[in-house]
Structure formats: structure tokens, C-alpha cells
């Protein structure tokens, strides 16, 4: 398993821009516009929190994995709306990994 799956899903999402909304979930989401995409991101974030609380009280951990996958997927659609790619987020995570500690990270991300 590698980050190739993020790149592949990102490429498929990009290919849905301008496609017939009747043929694809992602094309339909793009057609509905940014507010609809962001609404899905918000819903999936809430469902992720609820799943985590459920796991905390003995629920199925895979439900959390499922909801995070939904959240990541809809976040990729939001990025694509602005012409951004999963690689942009991976590069940011790699940059942070390269920082020597939390204090340094915080000092570089302050406004
Ligand atoms: N990873 C996903 C993915 N994850 C979730 N979903 C869809 O996201 C939708 C929302 O999920 P919900 O749990 O909110 O379900 P829901 O309440 O029925 O959805 P809504 O009607 O409220 O939007 C569902 O219809 C899921 O099928 C996805 N749809 C597509 N992909 C990827 O995107 C690619 C392109 O998809 P199409 O555009 O449909 O070809 C696919 O090959 C996949 O790789």
C-alpha cells in the first residue's frame, strides 16, 4: 500500500470535471458546486467524529476507517475544485516530517 492510491483517485476526480453529471457521482458533485462539496466535507467530518466516539465505547473500529475514507475522498474533491492535488497535501505532510520538532513546526506555521 502506498500513496499511489491517493494520486489515482485524485486523477479520476480531475477527469470528472465538466463530465455529464448523470454519469458519475463526482461529476454530479462538481456540477452542484462548491457549497455542495463543502457540505459533504462537513457531513463526513461529523460522521467521523461520531464513529470515533462509537469506537471509544466498544463500536466497530472499521466504521471509523470507513468514515475517514469518506472524509478523505470528499476533501480530495474540494481540493480538485481549486485545482489542487493530493500531491500538494502529501508534500505538506512531508515538509512537516522534515521539521525537527513540534516547537519548530509551530514557529513556522504561526501567522
Ligand atoms: N472514493 C469514492 C467514494 N467514496 C464515497 N463515495 C460516494 O459518496 C457518496 C456519499 O456518501 P454518503 O455516505 O454520504 O452516502 P449518501 O448519504 O447516500 O450520499 P448523498 O446522496 O447524501 O450524497 C456515496 O454516493 C458514495 O458512493 C465515493 N464515490 C467515488 N469514489 C471514488 O471516485 C471515483 C469516481 O467515482 P464516480 O464519479 O462515481 O465515477 C471512484 O472510482 C472511486 O475511486
Amino acid at each position: 500500500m502506498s500513496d499511489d492510491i491517493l494520486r489515482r483517485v485524485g486523477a479520476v476526480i480531475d477527469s470528472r470535471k465538466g463530465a455529464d453529471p448523470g454519469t458519475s457521482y463526482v461529476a454530479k458533485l462538481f456540477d452542484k458546486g462548491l457549497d455542495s462539496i463543502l457540505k459533504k466535507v462537513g457531513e463526513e467530518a461529523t460522521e467521523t467524529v461520531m464513529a470515533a466516539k462509537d469506537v471509544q465505547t466498544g463500536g466497530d473500529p472499521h466504521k471509523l476507517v470507513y468514515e475517514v475514507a469518506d472524509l478523505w475522498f470528499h476533501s480530495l474533491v474540494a481540493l480538485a475544485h481549486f485545482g489542487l492535488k493530493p500531491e500538494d497535501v502529501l508534500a505538506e505532510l512531508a515538509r512537516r516530517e522534515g521539521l525537527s520538532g513540534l516547537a519548530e513546526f509551530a514557529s513556522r506555521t504561526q501567522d
Side-chain angles (χ1 to χ4, degrees), residues 9 12 16 24-27 40 43-44 47 70 73-74:
V9 173
V12 172
R16 299 299 194 249
S24 143
Y25 173 77
V26 177
K40 288 303 295 181
E43 285 173 9
E44 302 305 346
E47 285 170 22
D70 274 351
F73 167 70
H74 286 91

